Amino acid sequence: MTGAGVRTGPRNSLADVEGLLVGHHHELDRDAGLGSGRATGCTVVLAPGGATASVDVRGGGPGTRETDLLDPSHTVQQVDAVLLTGGSAYGLAAADGVMRWLEEHGRGIPMDADGHVVPIVPGAVIFDLPVGDWSVRPTADHGFLATEAAAEQFAVGSVGAGVGARAGVLKGGVGTASLVLGAGAAEGVTVAALIVANPVGSVFDPGTGLPWGVGVAEAASWGLRVPDAAELATAIELGQKGTVLNTTIGVVATDAALSKAGCRRVAVAGHDGLARAIRPAHSPLDGDTLFALATGIKATAPAPVSMPAAFPAELALLDAVCAAAADAVSRAIVGAVLAATPVAGIPSYRELFPSAFDV
């Protein structure tokens, strides 16, 4: 699951990147169904000290907020938080609550000597409105409470923005993963991802039943084995997802110091991991969006090989972070699928493939 000299972070989560916290808030009725009950929520990645940030949007139907601001050529360099939310475009209202919490705590761009600030909160949504009552979606209060809950320890699976997520025909959710890099220009640097998996594409290999991104040789390291043929046949008979709008969104982050342009390249690389774990990815029916954050807390040694003057000084470091970003995103998506629990009658991977866990 990791390359030479690379190890899993202590929590195997986005919070292994020093300077980042994660919080969820959701509403979920035990008897929620497709079109009835409460089944919605949001997730906030909080950067108490700010983080350099950029974004890469690959899906054909994105729902986003403040992504133009993250263009490397634009003025603002850092963000205070990132919102990942259910509720489609309606769910962007949750960002108002994140901003309210940040303003109350004096977080944001200082504007004057009186302490006024403008918090910077980019965000992205998934389309989950058919799960639960269509009219129940995240509000500003959800965003406030998710920010209030931000901590180093947080749940995964059918929580937060992942409550109403569907990963193909399976229950989707929130997943996370982290890697600590080995010897080289990025030695000791942590790279991590937090993903809300809600794609139209499939998340398991129809030839083996294992999640995409987990080969047969790797299955045991995930605590899995190739599931029984009868279970695989049943899963395949479920067909395709059948909803017009979908989307996988998330954050890939590092504690290395990167420029805004470097963060953009990390977000681009993260999409490679998305394509490894979801097939097809980046469809016109998805709004796949990845934010990249760099907290800059981890000091790194100069690159062992000097770079030509025409290249950015961070190039060797950036190359290592990008490679790890793709791996972290793929692992986070697999983790989301494995951790998800059924909601509104949408079956989970564990429910459809129980024999995969008989290791």
Side-chain angles (χ1 to χ4, degrees):
M1 287 169 56
T2 58
V6 178
R7 67 183 189 275
T8 301
R11 300 182 189 87
N12 195 27
S13 90
L14 191 79
D16 287 332
V17 173
E18 189 177 355
L20 297 181
L21 305 172
V22 176
H24 303 301
H25 184 74
H26 61 255
E27 297 183 22
L28 178 59
D29 291 336
R30 184 170 298 180
D31 60 351
L34 298 180
S36 63
R38 297 176 301 165
T40 196
C42 63
T43 296
V44 172
V45 176
L46 179 64
T52 305
S54 193
V55 67
D56 188 45
V57 181
R58 292 291 176 95
T64 57
R65 177 185 190 274
E66 296 276 41
T67 50
D68 282 353
L69 174 147
L70 298 179
D71 185 299
S73 68
H74 292 176
T75 303
V76 173
Q77 299 296 302
Q78 292 197 322
V79 303
D80 300 291
V82 174
L83 169 71
L84 307 173
T85 183
S88 190
Y90 296 106
L92 289 172
D96 292 340
V98 182
M99 290 192 68
R100 175 160 54 93
W101 188 95
L102 289 164
E103 182 181 29
E104 289 180 5
H105 289 77
R107 310 271 180 83
I109 300 173
M111 288 294 159
D112 56 31
D114 296 324
H116 294 115
V117 296
V118 176
I120 304 300
V121 185
V125 306
I126 64 168
F127 179 78
D128 61 353
L129 293 173
V131 181
D133 188 318
W134 183 280
S135 66
V136 179
R137 51 249 185 175
T139 66
D141 287 342
H142 287 77
F144 185 94
L145 292 170
T147 312
E148 182 78 13
E152 293 180 346
Q153 301 290 342
F154 58 93
V156 295
S158 301
V159 297
V163 162
R166 286 185 280 184
V169 295
L170 302 181
K171 185 67 186 71
V174 175
T176 190
S178 67
L179 300 169
V180 180
L181 306 189
E187 183 173 3
V189 164
T190 297
V191 179
L194 179 110
I195 302 293
V196 185
N198 183 59
V200 69
S202 172
V203 291
F204 68 90
D205 182 347
T208 67
L210 291 170
W212 288 119
V214 179
V216 173
E218 298 175 301
S221 66
W222 283 92
L224 298 173
R225 72 171 183 86
V226 175
D228 293 344
E231 293 172 0
L232 178 56
T234 298
I236 291 173
E237 286 176 0
L238 292 175
Q240 298 180 337
K241 185 174 182 180
T243 58
V244 175
L245 300 175
N246 306 275
T247 294
T248 294
I249 56 178
V251 172
V252 59
T254 181
D255 54 7
L258 295 178
S259 66
K260 199 174 177 184
C263 286
R264 171 62 185 272
R265 184 51 52 185
V266 172
V268 169
H271 279 284
D272 291 345
L274 192 153
R276 294 174 193 170
I278 299 167
R279 303 187 189 186
H282 309 132
S283 81
L285 304 177
D286 289 292
D288 298 336
T289 299
L290 291 181
F291 299 94
L293 305 180
T295 64
I297 291 174
K298 175 70 177 180
T300 55
V305 178
S306 61
M307 291 291 165
F311 292 173
E314 66 181 354
L315 185 59
L317 169 64
L318 179 61
D319 180 57
V321 170
C322 284
D327 289 340
V329 169
S330 177
R331 294 178 62 195
I333 293 169
V334 173
V337 172
L338 296 181
T341 52
V343 170
I346 305 165
S348 67
Y349 182 89
R350 184 178 290 270
E351 189 176 44
L352 279 182
F353 296 108
S355 67
F357 299 87
D358 295 336
V359 180

